[in-house]
Amino acid sequence: MGFVSNNNAHLLSKMATNDGHSEKSPYFDGWKAYDSDPYHLTTNPNGVIQMGLAENELCFDLVQEWVVNNPEASICTAEGANEFKEIAIFQDYHGLPAFREGVAKFMGKARGDRVRFDPDRIVMSGGATGAQEMLAFCLADPGDAFLVPTPYYPGFDRDLRWRTGVQIVPIICESSNNFKITEEALESAFQRAKESNIRVKGLLITNPSNPLGTVLDRDTLRTLVAFINQKNIHLICDEIYAATVFDQPGFISIAEIIEEKDQQNCNRDLIHIVYSLSKDMGFPGFRVGIVYSYNDAVTNCARKMSSFGLVSTQTQHLIGSLLSDDVFVGKFLVESAERLAKRHEMFTKGLAQVGIGSLKSNAGLFIWMDLRRLLKEPTVDAETVLWKMIIHEVKLNVSPGSSFHCSEPGWFRVCFANMDDAMLKIALTRIWSFVQRSKGVEEHAKRKCCKSNLQVSLSSRRLDDILRAPHTMSPHSPISSPLVRAT
């Protein structure tokens, strides 16, 4: 007997039938476009190349080498089989001691050993997604809100809100100061929530930033700590990209800030860190997420909640062994930073050759690409038209800024670490071809209209049918903007 489906929504819960998962976002639509037509070198060379996935695949050879040389780390090998029963039977949901110790040690090394983390405060979860939701459950009630600087990771709309009933109040950041978080923007967001009778329970930051690929400086971090102490609200620091910093300025963890002598009056009960191995080591499939709270009550509550999203003991066993190898970890961190720097340079220089700029960045697995000059008009609708063309004509899955709640249309997040050099060159070739064809239209319009500065007008039709419309170039365009990278 086959499965019979029906659309009787009243048989399901409100949570099951609402759109809180935010799958209608262009961020997820781009993934669907890729899934329906994925690029393959031989079987589908004209397919969509996935540049919307923030995944780190640049150092898998180092991990594979370690696994081959340490077969006993897995309980599914002849060398590790003697540990099988001990690992397979029920384990305390506090986590294996070796796992918590290994993660705590790695968190310290990823921060240059400038701060130490207590293994007893390590609470595991099913990835950073589970960690964020766990903290939301611990810190806020339905209807309460977290302040989040824009642009921010689209998944927060799901992670923080869907099952918890918590709201997000955006802190509007702008390109005029490279999207820096200011005291004025913080206060403005807080007051907007207050005027709407929304209780603010915390501030969530991502450092290094997704999607900007930038790090927060010491003064900004101090400002954030002062703000949350003044308002008596929590500070959640998502630091899952801590070890992806490949250039100066270096990464500064919130854990370092609260250790400073002038932070003696800081209420540490308000400070919480979310971490994961998904980005720094490229292990999203292992679902290793971490909540590290300086608040004992939050740590105890989160540990109880962790029973709903434990990391398998088999994974804990392997990760504990891997991260306890100081020689491997040291080599991995250095090599990863070097490879990310090389790939970032390769990609940004390739874009700069055709006049495409990006926000200056030194971390993460992506760049914040500036295509504002290619918009017909500075609107989200125009950005959507351009994005659809990039998806369906250029065949690249990139993520539009509107899906990150960016207040300025025309910015796009483009991931560069989830593919090999050959595929990246193919992606660059497609971008070059697209821009050159666009320039051809622009030059034709220049000759026809006899104007010095023209704006390429894009439509959802094929590039051959692009509309011609004169438009004065924006002072923030990739060509004239101070954000442009030097070639």
Side-chain angles (χ1 to χ4, degrees), residues 151-217:
Y152 65 79
Y153 168 54
F156 285 158
D157 292 320
R158 169 201 62 204
D159 301 350
L160 295 176
R161 299 173 57 234
W162 185 27
R163 301 196 298 184
T164 66
V166 171
Q167 303 183 65
I168 289 178
V169 175
I171 301 169
I172 306 302
C173 302
E174 301 174 339
S175 64
S176 58
N177 66 349
N178 296 338
F179 299 98
K180 186 174 181 178
I181 308 170
T182 65
E183 291 184 63
E184 293 77 14
L186 287 166
E187 189 62 41
S188 176
F190 187 87
Q191 291 303 323
R192 285 202 318 273
K194 186 176 180 180
E195 291 167 3
S196 299
N197 294 319
I198 298 173
R199 182 171 66 165
V200 174
K201 290 303 296 290
L203 164 64
L204 167 63
I205 61 170
T206 304
N207 183 33
S209 169
N210 173 15
L212 302 179
T214 56
V215 295
L216 296 181
D217 59 63

Side-chain angles (χ1 to χ4, degrees), residues 62-117:
L62 302 181
V63 178
Q64 184 175 1
E65 179 184 11
W66 186 91
V67 170
V68 170
N69 293 333
N70 296 270
E72 71 283 354
S74 171
I75 61 172
C76 297
T77 62
E79 294 82 357
N82 62 319
E83 297 282 347
F84 187 92
K85 178 181 178 182
E86 185 64 26
I87 297 301
I89 61 176
F90 177 79
Q91 300 289 339
D92 190 331
Y93 53 68
H94 285 60
L96 299 177
F99 169 76
R100 289 186 285 111
E101 290 167 4
V103 171
K105 194 173 184 180
F106 182 77
M107 288 175 67
K109 287 189 174 297
R111 292 153 180 79
D113 280 326
R114 295 182 298 275
V115 64
R116 295 182 70 254
F117 293 91

Side-chain angles (χ1 to χ4, degrees), residues 57-58 343 346 416 418-425:
E57 298 186 12
L58 301 185
R343 177 61 65 83
M346 173 185 176
F416 58 75
N418 63 324
M419 61 188 72
D420 58 24
D421 286 349
M423 187 180 293
L424 186 72
K425 290 177 181 177

Side-chain angles (χ1 to χ4, degrees), residues 5 48 55 78 92 105 152 200 247 255 385 413 440 452-453 476:
S5 176
V48 177
E55 192 167 67
D92 190 331
K105 194 173 184 180
Y152 65 79
V200 174
D247 199 358
V385 168
R413 192 192 74 168
S452 59
N453 288 320
H476 299 297

Side-chain angles (χ1 to χ4, degrees), residues 16 27 72 81 91 98 177 187 197 208 211 240 245 265 272 354 383 468:
Y27 174 78
E72 71 283 354
Q91 300 289 339
N177 66 349
E187 189 62 41
N197 294 319
I240 67 173
V245 179
N265 294 325
H272 322 278
V354 288
E383 177 185 89
R468 298 163 177 81

